[in-house]
Amino acid sequence: MFSTFFFSFLVSFPVIQPLLVIQDCFFSIFGSGFVPVCVQTMEVWLDGLVRAAWIAATLPILIASIPSSRLRSVHEALMGFSKRGKTMQSSSYTFTVPQRFFCHFYVLAVVWTTLLLSMTWMYAYKMAPLVTDPSLVYSTLASHLTGGSHMFSSHKSRLTPVEHRYRIWRSVFLLLLMEVQLVRRLLETFYIFNYSPSARMHIFGYLAGIFFYTLAPLSLCCTLAPEVFKFAAEQVAEFIVKGKRHMAAFEFEWWEVVSPLIKLGWLPWIGATIFLWGWIHQHRCHVILGSLREHPKQINEYVIPYGDWFELVSSPHYLAEIVIYAGLLAASGGAELTIWLLFGFVVANLAFAATDTHRWYLQKFDNYPSNRRAIIPFVY
């Protein structure tokens, strides 16, 4: 029953169908022995492409953030692209879309992350059973301390099969955290943020959101994605050829599905704790922001009522988002350059947006608290 539903679910996704064609071509032309080589090549290619995309997206933000008169045009152009809602002037409504289109980001992200999570989790369960090995739990930290980190390499040739299994289950763990974040954001978009019909955002900002929420979940598992997609394509091909009546029943024990996540060691769970702290703070910030939309004149009194250093910045929800992605980075073990680049983009993008929001608050309200910074308490 479960296998029938799962494979029917996979077949419905356009990304799977080309994989079936590619797989058939490889088997017919080169034979089955060529496929592992091709998968390894795809891993290097995909990981490199994702890294290049994050670098290309981050560099313009960093350049626009340099305080130089020669770069003022770059700063103004990028600032114009990122404006939305209260910070966008009515005269700038050319090439804009309604701000309520924010929900498109999260619908896409939830569907995409659910697909990645379900495929990776099934692959981990069936192909990478985890055997507890305490020495491997601390391998990432030890590698950093001894200078043997493979963070700047996308090859897995030095990984033992057991180490590779831990990497697969860490990817499941990261995707699960991302799913929790995205589902909450989707629900907030529908039930907390009542966007004004006149609120707009630049089409560039809309496309940037689509870019981010497509690439961010993939970045958490891109080194494994080719082998996971290959596994999914094989399962779907078998489902299509044999039919649901002749498919072997897929049986599993819930504890065996969940227990490997507990065996990952303390580092992923420390990261999850950081993630959860930022997750809770961001939700509280969004609840307050949602209520302030009905009373915009109270924005100058926008403080977090439970009292902590989040009240010392103009964009505490952005700060919370940085904490969330810092938690994901910590949970990954810090050994993947791709996740570092994802985190770098989040910090650069949110810091740039927070600066604009902070400037708007200072211009709009004469009695705005002078001790607040844009996004980092006491610093920036």
Side-chain angles (χ1 to χ4, degrees):
M1 180 66 179
F2 177 81
S3 60
T4 301
F5 169 78
F6 178 75
F7 295 129
S8 301
F9 173 73
L10 286 182
V11 171
S12 65
F13 279 88
V15 70
I16 295 298
Q17 296 171 5
L19 291 175
L20 297 176
V21 177
I22 293 173
Q23 176 184 263
D24 290 341
C25 292
F26 283 153
F27 272 100
S28 61
I29 298 175
F30 301 102
S32 59
F34 180 78
V35 175
V37 178
C38 177
V39 169
Q40 185 177 10
T41 302
M42 288 179 63
E43 290 173 3
V44 177
W45 175 81
L46 179 61
D47 204 21
L49 183 63
V50 172
R51 292 176 180 180
W54 286 127
I55 293 173
T58 306
L59 278 179
I61 302 175
L62 296 178
I63 293 173
S65 301
I66 298 175
S68 171
S69 58
R70 296 182 179 181
L71 299 174
R72 184 174 181 180
S73 59
V74 178
H75 177 87
E76 292 179 350
L78 197 59
M79 190 68 73
F81 291 150
S82 64
K83 287 183 181 296
R84 62 176 184 266
K86 61 182 179 292
T87 62
M88 175 172 282
Q89 303 294 330
S90 58
S91 59
S92 306
Y93 278 7
T94 307
F95 303 114
T96 63
V97 296
Q99 194 174 3
R100 66 176 181 274
F101 280 13
F102 255 82
C103 67
H104 296 177
F105 305 157
Y106 304 119
V107 171
L108 168 68
V110 167
V111 173
W112 175 229
T113 305
T114 300
L115 173 64
L116 291 174
L117 176 60
S118 58
M119 289 192 302
T120 307
W121 208 333
M122 176 172 280
Y123 176 72
Y125 176 73
K126 296 192 70 173
M127 305 300 293
L130 198 58
V131 178
T132 303
D133 186 348
S135 65
L136 292 176
V137 173
Y138 306 99
S139 61
T140 300
L141 179 60
S143 179
H144 283 294
L145 294 176
T146 58
S149 173
H150 307 305
M151 156 181 167
F152 295 100
S153 173
S154 57
H155 298 279
K156 297 195 296 292
S157 58
R158 299 182 183 181
L159 290 174
T160 66
V162 178
E163 288 175 324
H164 186 48
R165 293 173 191 174
Y166 273 86
R167 172 177 282 187
I168 295 171
W169 281 102
R170 276 196 298 268
S171 295
V172 173
F173 191 81
L174 294 174
L175 288 171
L176 187 59
L177 293 179
M178 178 64 83
E179 182 88 336
V180 170
Q181 166 70 358
L182 294 173
V183 169
R184 196 207 80 227
R185 293 299 301 271
L186 179 61
L187 294 176
E188 288 175 347
T189 302
F190 287 127
Y191 298 108
I192 293 180
F193 291 119
N194 298 315
Y195 294 112
S196 168
S198 62
R200 312 287 294 182
M201 65 177 170
H202 199 281
I203 186 66
F204 183 86
Y206 176 78
L207 295 176
I210 298 295
F211 162 83
F212 177 81
Y213 285 107
T214 300
L215 211 60
L218 182 61
S219 298
L220 303 179
C221 63
C222 64
T223 56
L224 306 171
E227 62 188 88
V228 171
F229 285 149
K230 174 181 176 291
F231 167 79
E234 291 174 348
Q235 298 300 309
V236 172
E238 183 181 0
F239 175 75
I240 293 174
V241 172
K242 293 184 177 180
K244 63 181 181 180
R245 294 184 179 180
H246 301 284
M247 285 289 293
F250 179 63
E251 299 179 355
F252 62 91
E253 296 290 338
W254 282 107
W255 178 246
E256 294 180 3
V257 173
V258 177
S259 62
L261 301 177
I262 303 175
K263 300 176 182 178
L264 293 176
W266 54 268
L267 195 55
W269 287 100
I270 289 178
T273 302
I274 297 172
F275 169 92
L276 183 61
W277 187 62
W279 190 91
I280 293 173
H281 277 66
Q282 188 179 60
H283 176 64
R284 291 179 175 178
C285 293
H286 285 169
V287 170
I288 294 173
L289 279 176
S291 65
L292 288 176
R293 291 182 188 278
E294 300 177 1
H295 307 284
K297 293 183 179 181
Q298 297 179 7
I299 290 182
N300 61 320
E301 300 174 358
Y302 175 26
V303 296
I304 306 302
Y306 43 90
D308 55 22
W309 46 267
F310 273 75
E311 69 183 37
L312 299 176
V313 296
S314 295
S315 300
H317 52 306
Y318 289 165
L319 175 58
E321 181 118 349
I322 291 177
V323 173
I324 287 170
Y325 282 90
L328 288 173
L329 177 61
S332 72
E336 298 289 345
L337 177 59
T338 307
I339 301 179
W340 276 100
L341 293 174
L342 163 62
F343 179 68
F345 173 81
V346 169
V347 173
N349 181 55
L350 294 181
F352 188 82
T355 301
D356 187 37
T357 302
H358 184 66
R359 185 182 299 110
W360 185 87
Y361 285 154
L362 292 174
Q363 294 173 352
K364 191 73 174 178
F365 303 104
D366 296 332
N367 59 339
Y368 192 74
S370 59
N371 64 329
R372 291 186 185 173
R373 296 295 181 262
I375 192 169
I376 302 177
F378 311 109
V379 179
Y380 180 76

